[in-house]
Amino acid sequence: MKKVACCLLCVILIAGCASPKYTNDVCSVQLVKSTESWNGQPLPAYKTGEPEITILRITIPPRHTLPMHTHPVINAGVLLKGQLTVTTESGQVLHLRLYDPIIEVVDTWHYGKNEGDEPAEIIVFYAGIKGESITIKKPENKQSHNKSDKDEVK
C-alpha cells in the first residue's frame, strides 16, 4: 500500500510539473534535506581549503558488487535507473529504488551492490577540497563484505 501511495504521489508531482503546453510555471520538488547521512550519523563539518565540486554519473552492471570504500567528503545522489543496495562494514543496509535520493555516509567503510538484472545508474554530487580524494578504496587484503542485514534502512 505504501508503494502504491508513493507511486501515486510521484505521478501527481510529475504530472503537475509536466504539461503538453509551455508555461512559465517553475516546479521544484525537494528530494531530501538533512543534517544526517542515510544511516542516521550526523554529517561532519565541511573541511577547510579550496572547495571543489565533483558530479559523477556512475553505472554499475547487473549483479555487480563494488569494492569496500569510504568517502572523506559529504556527498549525495539520486538513483536514475535500476536498483542499488548500500551496506556499511558494520552491516547497516539501505535499499535504493528508482529516483530514490541518498545522503551518503562519510568516513564509513561501505560498498554498493546492484542486485538487479539491469544496470544501476546514479548521479552523485561530492563537496570536496581541491586536490583531495573523494573516494578511498579499502586495501584488497582488508576487504570484507558483511553479509548481515541486521540494521536495514528502507
Side-chain angles (χ1 to χ4, degrees):
M1 183 65 179
K2 185 178 177 183
K3 285 187 179 185
V4 171
C6 286
C7 288
L8 184 56
L9 178 61
C10 286
V11 168
I12 291 169
L13 289 173
I14 291 170
C17 291
S19 174
K21 61 181 175 142
Y22 293 100
T23 68
N24 290 329
D25 297 336
V26 174
C27 182
S28 176
V29 177
Q30 181 173 296
L31 299 178
V32 67
K33 180 178 182 177
S34 181
T35 58
E36 299 176 341
S37 62
W38 66 261
N39 69 345
Q41 292 298 308
L43 293 171
Y46 289 108
K47 298 182 180 190
T48 58
E50 186 176 351
E52 182 175 65
I53 299 297
T54 303
I55 303 172
L56 298 179
R57 181 176 65 197
I58 302 166
T59 303
I60 304 164
R63 307 285 177 204
H64 183 80
T65 301
L66 298 171
M68 187 75 71
H69 62 278
T70 188
H71 305 286
V73 300
I74 295 172
N75 66 93
V78 176
L79 188 67
L80 299 179
K81 183 178 179 185
Q83 58 182 299
L84 187 62
T85 300
V86 182
T87 306
T88 66
E89 189 172 47
S90 67
Q92 296 171 304
V93 177
L94 174 68
H95 297 287
L96 294 172
R97 302 289 179 237
L98 189 63
Y99 302 127
D100 281 348
I102 179 174
I103 298 176
E104 185 65 280
V105 291
V106 179
D107 290 326
T108 300
W109 294 110
H110 66 283
Y111 66 93
K113 182 175 183 178
N114 178 357
E115 297 175 311
D117 295 325
E118 68 173 309
E121 186 172 281
I122 187 168
I123 297 282
V124 184
F125 303 80
Y126 298 84
I129 300 297
K130 188 173 183 177
E132 293 189 11
S133 296
I134 55 174
T135 302
I136 299 168
K137 283 176 51 174
K138 194 167 192 177
E140 288 295 321
N141 61 346
K142 307 247 188 213
Q143 293 277 331
S144 63
H145 290 140
N146 187 339
K147 302 296 182 195
S148 170
D149 289 342
K150 61 183 172 187
D151 294 326
E152 225 169 289
V153 178
K154 294 186 180 182

